[in-house]
Amino acid sequence: MTSEFREVDPRTLIPNPNNPRTSPPNEERDRRFALNIQIVGVLQPPVVREQADGSLMIVYGHRRVRCSIMAKLKVIPVIVRSGDEKLDDLAAGSENMIREDMSLPDQWRYVDRMRREKNYTERQLCKALMVTPAYLKRLSLLAGLHPPILDAIEIDYGPDERALRVIARTPADEQRAAWAEIWSETIADDADPAEYRMTEDEAKDFDWTDFAHALEHTQFFARDASFDDALARKHGIAWEEDLFAEGGQDNRYTVDRERYANAQRAWIESQLGEDDVFLATHEYGHPRMEDGMRRLWHAEEGPRAFYLDSRTLQVGYVFFERWTPQPGAGATMGASAPAPKVRRDISGTGEKMIGQIRTRALHSALDAACATAEPWDLVGALLLAFCGDNIAVQGDPTGGYGEQSARDAAAAALFPEGVLVRDPDLLRTHTMAVLRSVANCDVSLHSGSGIAAQLLGVLFDADVQMPNMAFDEFLKTFSKAGITTAVEAEGLAAQSTGKVMRAALIAHVGEGRWVPEAAGFAQSTAAWKAKLAKDAHDAARLAAYAEDDDGDQDEEPSDADDGDDQVSAEDETAPEDANAACVSAAAETDGAGEALDAVAERLRDEFASTAEGRAHFDSHVVFVKAA
């Protein structure tokens, strides 16, 4: 294979008919790239191949050519390649996937074509595209998707991997029917709802988890409904009879998920008492307990929290109580009467919905400002974000009990009226104050900043601030081998004892400055690179393991093994895990079950006042009666 460098008019170059990137280009990104080309030119020449008629066809670099034309360049550099044309397609795909990812559907179409037309093996594709077999396997899931779903993935608003697996293994006609049901009442009458392509705004808010659940559960039976026939008629539910089901039970069913769900919700609303609530559920159907609520596992009366399983659409409820704080300092236990219950204008469920909608709006605003935000606005925003309720700093010397932290002081000074004061000197002062309060190089599991603080030291040249460390108290921490290495590095001879070598090193340094390499900041860059490489390697191994172990990947976790859901701050799952089993078994065998249960419940309530605390308590504490 030979290559020749030329300068040509980009308008004369012919597009490659086999270009693997077929998705419409992002106009805003192309515009920014064209502006960049106007300033710095084309840094990496496109690769072309000369045709029999003398014309030049692009092998890869279509975007560079397109944006060079947008930048109105008269000539651009290209590399004219000759040799085996079979490699052109492989080079085009690898160039696009490695340097700037194509959309997932385009990657799948390209890989599929390489297998069919070029007979490339999986091993060859993985090596050329620098991807794992597990990644190629995930791409193959796209083969069975309804086209409008592929369109959503094209614009980066498609389903997550779990929902994608559920959708991909559902027959295409069922996907099509479910898609048509969703959009039948939304789009114009003359359009086909089964082929409807979502707008970007619609795709942002589309609930793929709910869509996947709809495909998992396509028949909803009357026997599982809480509503009666009158409510079914009111919501337009037309029952069908399952002629192949077991006799002796109500085998009527409907496939209209939306109407069945609406009837269930209407029934729940009709059952709500003064103190009852209607809760949302998480992915596996368990209720999401609101802040200030505590689930009562063994209660048989009291306020009820209803919920609708998002997968099966079955109604459930649990008993709960409102969690109130203990009386404050100086108050007499039990002396103050409980405050009367006042129903809020907006329920906790409504407030959660407001929070979710606000979050989407905030994230959209951040995305819109990504390319144009002023640097000082970004500094101020980061300082404000440090004051969020979800931020905690262990060992902050400026944030003791009853004291204002550097973060709070910065927010008060920079946002006195709720609007950022754009004073560069004030921003610099408070930024450094907050960094000083947050960043430290302590060797501590809980309060040390770790390598992040060392990288800050590299950024702000902290090595020059290091003091002379050639003093006896520090050098006594060296082993004999360590102090021997240190003195030899300074050109001194090794001695028979560590004491003599310490004295020799101190005398040698004198009034100068000596800092061992291990104590400096510069060495942290190599450690950081190694950490990033290890993290990437571990992530790839985990991804490959997850793909190779398909047996339980799509199964719903049981109550005893809910993965991360067991320790979620919002989701309180039943304490029927191994630790609770140990408590129960111990109680039954020693004859003191009721007393032990009472102690366990009292301690749980006393020490775990939050959902997160209770989940941690249940997963870490076991009660065993001594013999």
Side-chain angles (χ1 to χ4, degrees):
M1 178 181 296
T2 60
S3 299
E4 176 188 355
F5 182 85
R6 296 185 195 174
E7 291 193 341
V8 300
D9 185 342
R11 297 166 185 77
T12 65
L13 299 176
I14 301 172
N16 186 347
N18 291 326
N19 179 19
R21 193 185 293 274
T22 60
S23 300
N26 184 301
E27 295 181 0
E28 177 60 22
R29 292 178 183 175
D30 276 4
R31 184 184 66 80
R32 292 201 297 266
F33 190 25
L35 291 174
N36 179 261
I37 288 177
Q38 282 183 336
I39 297 171
V40 302
V42 178
L43 300 181
Q44 182 177 355
V47 174
V48 302
R49 180 179 293 279
E50 188 167 8
Q51 306 296 293
D53 60 358
S55 62
L56 298 177
M57 185 185 73
I58 305 169
V59 176
Y60 53 82
H62 289 77
R63 183 169 181 250
R64 277 164 275 167
V65 172
R66 182 172 68 249
C67 293
S68 296
I69 295 173
M70 290 176 61
K72 299 181 180 180
L73 298 188
K74 300 300 182 183
V75 293
I76 63 170
V78 298
I79 296 175
V80 183
R81 173 181 290 176
S82 61
D84 186 6
E85 292 188 23
K86 180 181 177 182
L87 296 177
D88 286 353
D89 283 333
L90 194 62
S94 60
E95 198 271 352
N96 277 288
M97 290 176 69
I98 294 170
R99 290 170 175 82
E100 183 178 352
D101 282 351
M102 297 183 286
S103 69
L104 287 176
D106 274 348
Q107 292 182 35
W108 164 67
R109 296 184 190 108
Y110 166 75
V111 168
D112 183 60
R113 187 168 64 84
M114 289 297 95
R115 284 171 171 160
R116 289 184 289 100
E117 297 181 8
K118 305 296 183 179
N119 295 320
Y120 282 112
T121 65
E122 183 174 284
R123 182 176 180 181
Q124 288 173 316
L125 289 168
C126 287
K127 185 175 181 180
L129 306 179
M130 297 181 68
V131 298
T132 64
Y135 187 84
L136 290 185
K137 187 176 180 181
R138 282 196 295 275
L139 285 181
S140 67
L141 292 175
L142 305 183
L145 295 185
H146 187 44
I149 300 174
L150 284 174
D151 285 352
I153 296 175
E154 295 269 19
I155 58 176
D156 293 331
Y157 291 107
D160 61 24
E161 188 167 338
R162 185 184 184 280
L164 180 61
R165 287 176 176 275
V166 173
I167 298 169
R169 66 168 178 253
T170 304
D173 57 342
E174 293 184 20
Q175 294 181 44
R176 193 176 193 278
W179 194 260
E181 182 179 343
I182 289 174
W183 300 107
S184 59
E185 298 181 4
T186 305
I187 64 174
D189 293 337
D190 58 345
D192 183 359
E195 299 300 327
Y196 180 70
R197 265 64 173 173
M198 290 189 290
T199 66
E200 186 168 330
D201 288 339
E202 289 171 333
K204 287 180 182 177
D205 297 327
F206 191 79
D207 191 339
W208 289 106
T209 298
D210 190 58
F211 182 69
H213 287 160
L215 294 175
E216 282 185 304
H217 301 274
T218 57
Q219 293 181 328
F220 304 96
F221 286 87
R223 61 176 177 266
D224 296 324
S226 297
F227 56 85
D228 57 18
D229 287 342
L231 203 51
R233 288 191 296 272
K234 180 179 179 180
H235 286 272
I237 296 175
W239 296 114
E240 300 179 46
E241 188 73 25
D242 186 353
L243 302 178
F244 300 97
E246 180 182 347
Q249 60 181 1
D250 189 348
N251 292 320
R252 294 175 300 159
Y253 72 92
T254 179
V255 295
D256 194 328
R257 177 184 178 85
E258 183 175 358
R259 295 187 181 189
Y260 189 96
N262 288 338
Q264 292 282 65
R265 293 189 187 100
W267 181 87
I268 292 175
E269 294 289 347
S270 71
Q271 301 298 308
L272 292 178
E274 182 179 356
D275 297 321
D276 295 338
V277 296
F278 184 9
L279 298 180
T281 60
H282 67 53
E283 184 178 358
Y284 296 111
H286 301 298
R288 292 185 183 274
M289 303 302 288
E290 299 173 354
D291 293 338
M293 293 177 62
R294 178 168 60 185
R295 182 172 178 174
L296 301 177
W297 296 100
H298 306 297
E300 296 183 358
E301 61 180 15
R304 295 169 297 175
F306 287 87
Y307 61 94
L308 184 64
D309 190 316
S310 57
R311 306 160 305 153
T312 65
L313 298 186
Q314 294 185 28
V315 173
Y317 69 87
V318 297
F319 291 105
F320 73 96
E321 67 178 0
R322 293 290 180 184
W323 175 264
T324 54
Q326 297 296 321
T332 303
M333 292 292 291
S336 59
K341 295 181 179 179
V342 178
R343 190 157 190 167
R344 293 175 292 179
D345 291 341
I346 301 176
S347 70
T349 300
E351 290 176 350
K352 282 183 177 295
M353 292 177 64
I354 291 173
Q356 293 167 353
I357 293 168
R358 281 176 173 169
T359 299
R360 287 196 292 268
L362 172 62
H363 291 178
S364 296
L366 294 176
D367 291 342
C370 184
T372 58
E374 294 292 332
W376 287 121
D377 286 359
L378 292 176
V379 172
L382 285 173
L383 291 175
L384 186 61
F386 266 16
C387 295
D389 292 340
N390 57 342
I391 300 296
V393 178
Q394 301 292 336
D396 181 356
T398 68
Y401 181 76
E403 298 178 358
Q404 186 181 43
S405 70
R407 288 164 286 147
D408 292 334
L414 296 173
F415 295 84
E417 303 294 335
V419 179
L420 176 65
V421 176
R422 293 180 176 84
D423 182 337
D425 291 335
L426 191 65
L427 280 159
R428 285 191 185 94
T429 299
H430 282 288
T431 299
M432 291 308 177
V434 171
L435 286 175
R436 289 183 77 257
S437 73
V438 170
N440 69 76
C441 297
D442 292 348
V443 180
S444 169
L445 178 62
H446 301 292
S447 61
S449 299
I451 198 169
Q454 297 177 46
L455 292 180
L456 284 174
V458 175
L459 178 62
F460 293 108
D461 201 16
D463 272 319
V464 300
Q465 305 295 333
M466 291 289 288
N468 177 28
M469 300 181 71
F471 56 92
D472 196 57
E473 184 178 359
F474 173 69
L475 294 179
K476 281 182 178 179
T477 66
F478 281 54
S479 66
K480 185 175 181 179
I483 192 66
T484 300
T485 301
V487 298
E488 289 180 344
E490 293 297 308
L492 304 175
Q495 303 294 328
S496 58
T497 66
K499 181 178 181 179
V500 174
M501 286 187 282
R502 291 197 298 271
L505 181 58
I506 293 172
H508 170 74
V509 174
E511 297 299 319
R513 188 173 71 108
W514 175 81
V515 179
E517 181 179 358
F521 290 87
Q523 49 82 29
S524 64
T525 56
W528 177 253
K529 292 177 184 178
K531 177 185 179 301
L532 294 181
K534 182 180 183 301
D535 290 347
H537 177 70
D538 291 345
R541 288 184 60 190
L542 286 173
Y545 176 78
E547 287 301 316
D548 291 336
D549 188 16
D550 285 334
D552 297 323
Q553 286 299 307
D554 299 315
E555 296 296 326
E556 174 190 343
S558 67
D559 286 344
D561 185 16
D562 266 356
D564 289 341
D565 294 308
Q566 287 284 13
V567 294
S568 169
E570 295 180 343
D571 305 331
E572 294 188 21
T573 55
E576 296 164 1
D577 56 10
N579 292 321
C582 288
V583 174
S584 177
E588 291 174 2
T589 55
D590 62 24
E594 293 183 2
L596 185 58
D597 284 344
V599 171
E601 187 68 19
R602 188 180 71 187
L603 289 174
R604 184 176 187 269
D605 290 346
E606 192 169 333
F607 290 99
S609 60
T610 66
E612 182 178 12
R614 290 191 294 278
H616 183 79
F617 188 94
D618 288 341
S619 62
H620 287 74
V621 178
V622 178
F623 293 90
V624 179
K625 189 174 186 301

